[in-house]
Amino acid sequence: MRRGAISLRARYVFPGEGPPIPDGVVAVDDGRIAWVGSARERSADLDLGNVAIIPGLVNAHTHLELSRMPGDDAPPAGGTEDEVEWIRKVALGRISGDWAPSYADNVRRNLRATIEAGTTLAADITTAGLSWGAIAEAPIRAVVFAEVLGLKRHRGLQTSGEAWRWLGTIDHEGQIAANARPGLSPHAPYSTAGWLYHNAAGSRLPLTTHLAEMPEELRLLQRRDGPLRRFLEDIGAWDDEWEPISHSPADYIRKGELRDADWLVAHGTYIDPSEFWRLRPEASTKGRRVAVAFCPRTNARFGHHAHPYRALLEKGAIVCLGTDSLASSPTLSVLDEMRFLHARDDSLSGELLLTMATLFGAWALRAEAAAGSLRPAKSADLAVVALPDRHEADPYTLLLESDLPVVATMFEGDFVAGSWLGI
């Protein structure tokens, strides 16, 4: 079904701004939302039946070039995995080059799975812009972050040089896509020298970084020892002359000129509660944005402390949801992340959970004018989710306490995925 004027009827419409609409209709015209309301007020061209129409989901943290590692199994029931050892496996796989020939194939396959899961906006971290070509041609909105890393200067120069050459190619060839923007990703405080963070902040590009992800990171910043140092020494990446920007992870995005950039913090599990206020939007300078991307299933896999998403939200911080990669998560479905989090914390309202999975992520990526909610004049980016055949007083329960899938995805008024619709 191609772009044009069409109205869709569903058992529920969840606009993302405003309450759920039972027996709702979403009208689309020329790729944009034209009207949202009750079927009592407007007839529909297509009755989708027992489904929910929700805003296109936003995956605020993913690595599309990574796949499940060979021999990788989920942690045993009741058990967790050592994250430093997991990082070692990922790093050794990269160093050996065993995965390299499959990176491009991974991107294409994972991008398709992402779209089929109802995602219409993503923040992808990639090597030297590797995923850019596939994303720029795909029916999805995205920010593509080229990763830079290295404690040793020669490694930092290598990765930043590759990233900037990619950025220069985009500028030179006029390849900035209508649906994709480039960014940079200093990998993490334990792997990335301070000068790389400062160079990235001076680029005026959107930035993302893995921050306060594990207690071993805090130990390295504070004491320069521990499992992460041993790992870095083992792979030849440790630099005896390295000094952290600060003992506090929050300073990596909020200290000095580092505040003058948009930052999307991946994880943020171990940021000190006394510093949560620094992650509020009003704590930024020059209108810059900062948000935290929480990946619930990856957090659980490594047995981390309960993520402080609730305390961050209460302090006024923006917390959105991501899947991380298939190397750490079973699927690339943000809906699966929502359901997992709901099962662990059913006190979090369905309205807020959907907002974390849509509008908050769109805001973090400066795409809220086009995406994140079903509001007239916004892009017609939406997901259709099958609903169980039962009644619930709270309609969000139908979305969250179910294992029924996304059955169709619409991007800019076109159905771009959905076997249910024969696409």
Side-chain angles (χ1 to χ4, degrees), residues 211 245-256 258 275 278:
L211 196 69
I245 288 175
S246 169
H247 294 164
S248 167
D251 281 342
Y252 272 76
I253 62 166
R254 311 308 299 146
K255 186 176 182 179
L258 296 171
E275 297 189 306
R278 303 177 72 190

Side-chain angles (χ1 to χ4, degrees), residues 2-17:
R2 302 310 299 164
R3 182 180 304 171
I6 186 172
S7 53
L8 309 171
R9 182 177 180 177
R11 180 182 173 189
Y12 277 101
V13 172
F14 294 82
E17 293 185 72

